[in-house]
Amino acid sequence: MVRIIPMAASSIRPSLTCLSSSHRFPISLLSRNLSRTLHVPQSQLFGLNSHKLLRRSVNCLGVAESGKPAQASTATAQDDLLTWVKNDKRRMLHVVYRVGDLDRTIKFYTECLGMKLLRKRDIPEEKYTNAFLGYGPEDSHFVIELTYNYGVDKYDIGAGFGHFGIAVDDVAKTVELVKAKGGKVAREPGPVKGGKTVIAFIEDPDGYKFELLERGPTPEPLCQVMLRVGDLDRAIKFYEKAFGMELLRTRDNPEYKYTIAMMGYGPEDKFPVLELTCNYGVTEYDKGNAYAQIAIGTDDVYKTAEAIKLFGGKITREPGPLPGISTKITACLDPDGWKSVFVDNIDFLKELE
């Protein structure tokens, strides 16, 4: 959180508003101070030329009538916060979504997609269970956090969520394995439209789509989360400034009437990325109730919340520790209503212990 340090009384420079009657400033004290400042008798201060004298007093005290110093101070604070966001140690930790049958989904991800079950936790008092799956330990890899709510076996994915991306050595081989295990193939292997990368699309038992991308060895096989947005320029600006992400590339596809932007904390072949998709003429999407959020690590959830507010996001959970544990988080919505949670880096590592 950005802390505002009170200034000493002698360093506060009055503006024109300080001279209004609404501030109940004693006239005698005002005239005496201005008389000393301007070196003129008090009797001249409130005559026909008083407005000129007041302007002189304001200017000699270093404050322009336009309020530019205040504007400059605000701009400096914004620049400082933007610099801090860019230098913050951020990493995409996990993506969270809901499933109707936890064991069934774990089986599909481990047997068809080659993931490992990293851990499970059951919260009976809240009536839900989490399972964490991925291609490496949570302290260094982007992973999936599945949520099963007791007694709920179906969710609406909606039209806003797109897909997850997984990098594999051989797309065709992976598709054959998915078919052998009874999985659904939504797009057969082949070059991406307008490019050379071999891809395929499959669906998990709950209907979530996964794009398989043929790549060489990569430290982050779970490599993409695709979300649809209504205003791409607005979304890019928000994720750059509030989240500190880098715009890696954009691609316009006029033939299919959509544009994408890849954003993240490092190059696509080494880091997970957020793929933002904007379909021509579509400004809003039904988000359903299945997809939940992305979690991102930060060194300071308080400053993070300030940046999110400043650059157009909405805080849905004020920064602070979670009840019962010391892990500090803050939650927010982007301009399109997609939720993200920021987690204190040190607290997150303590959780894993």
Side-chain angles (χ1 to χ4, degrees), residues 171-176 178-179 183-193 197-202 210-212:
V171 168
K173 185 176 179 180
T174 303
V175 167
E176 288 303 315
V178 170
K179 288 180 178 179
K184 181 179 179 180
V185 177
R187 182 196 188 277
E188 293 289 339
V192 65
K193 294 174 181 177
T197 303
V198 176
I199 68 167
F201 277 91
I202 64 169
F210 284 79
E211 180 181 14
L212 306 178

Side-chain angles (χ1 to χ4, degrees), residues 27-285:
I27 295 297
S28 60
L29 179 60
L30 173 65
S31 63
R32 184 165 61 253
N33 288 341
L34 290 181
S35 174
R36 292 171 180 173
T37 302
L38 300 176
H39 307 292
V40 297
Q42 294 185 36
S43 60
Q44 296 181 17
L45 283 174
F46 296 99
L48 294 176
N49 294 323
S50 61
H51 66 286
K52 294 181 180 179
L53 294 174
L54 292 176
R55 183 179 294 111
R56 284 172 56 194
S57 71
V58 170
N59 288 340
C60 78
L61 289 172
V63 180
E65 293 177 70
S66 63
K68 288 182 180 179
Q71 295 174 358
S73 177
T74 300
T76 300
Q78 290 184 4
D79 290 343
D80 290 345
L81 193 54
L82 186 60
T83 299
W84 179 85
V85 169
K86 291 293 184 183
N87 292 330
D88 189 23
K89 294 181 178 64
R90 298 190 172 182
R91 179 175 73 86
M92 292 171 65
L93 304 177
H94 46 251
V95 60
V96 187
Y97 52 100
R98 304 171 182 94
V99 297
D101 186 325
L102 194 58
D103 292 335
R104 178 185 64 182
T105 304
I106 291 172
K107 180 179 175 67
F108 181 83
Y109 288 3
T110 55
E111 293 184 358
C112 297
L113 301 178
M115 295 185 191
K116 296 178 180 179
L117 176 60
L118 303 172
R119 63 183 170 111
K120 289 176 69 176
R121 67 181 178 194
D122 186 42
I123 315 293
E125 61 272 19
E126 300 291 338
K127 297 183 179 180
Y128 73 88
T129 305
N130 292 134
F132 296 81
L133 297 101
Y135 295 98
E138 292 178 65
D139 61 358
S140 58
H141 287 73
F142 185 49
V143 306
I144 288 172
E145 178 182 340
L146 301 176
T147 298
Y148 169 70
N149 291 298
Y150 293 5
V152 183
D153 60 6
K154 191 174 183 180
Y155 294 93
D156 174 20
I157 293 178
F161 171 78
H163 61 261
F164 306 111
I166 297 181
V168 298
D169 293 331
D170 191 325
V171 168
K173 185 176 179 180
T174 303
V175 167
E176 288 303 315
L177 178 60
V178 170
K179 288 180 178 179
K181 296 291 184 178
K184 181 179 179 180
V185 177
R187 182 196 188 277
E188 293 289 339
V192 65
K193 294 174 181 177
K196 297 180 180 179
T197 303
V198 176
I199 68 167
F201 277 91
I202 64 169
E203 289 186 14
D204 76 0
D206 288 274
Y208 292 101
K209 287 186 173 63
F210 284 79
E211 180 181 14
L212 306 178
L213 301 99
E214 192 160 281
R215 291 181 182 173
T218 173
E220 284 284 11
L222 181 60
C223 58
Q224 290 180 6
V225 176
M226 192 275 259
L227 302 174
R228 297 183 177 92
V229 298
D231 184 327
L232 190 59
D233 289 337
R234 178 185 65 183
I236 290 172
K237 182 179 179 181
F238 174 78
Y239 281 99
E240 282 182 325
K241 292 187 174 182
F243 280 41
M245 288 186 177
E246 178 185 356
L247 175 60
L248 303 172
R249 63 183 174 94
T250 61
R251 186 179 77 237
D252 186 38
N253 293 276
E255 182 180 355
Y256 301 101
K257 298 182 179 180
Y258 73 89
T259 307
I260 66 169
M262 297 293 193
M263 308 199 69
Y265 296 110
E268 290 179 66
D269 60 340
K270 295 180 181 178
F271 294 85
V273 300
L274 182 61
E275 178 181 344
L276 303 176
T277 299
C278 183
N279 293 300
Y280 292 6
V282 183
T283 58
E284 292 184 5
Y285 295 93

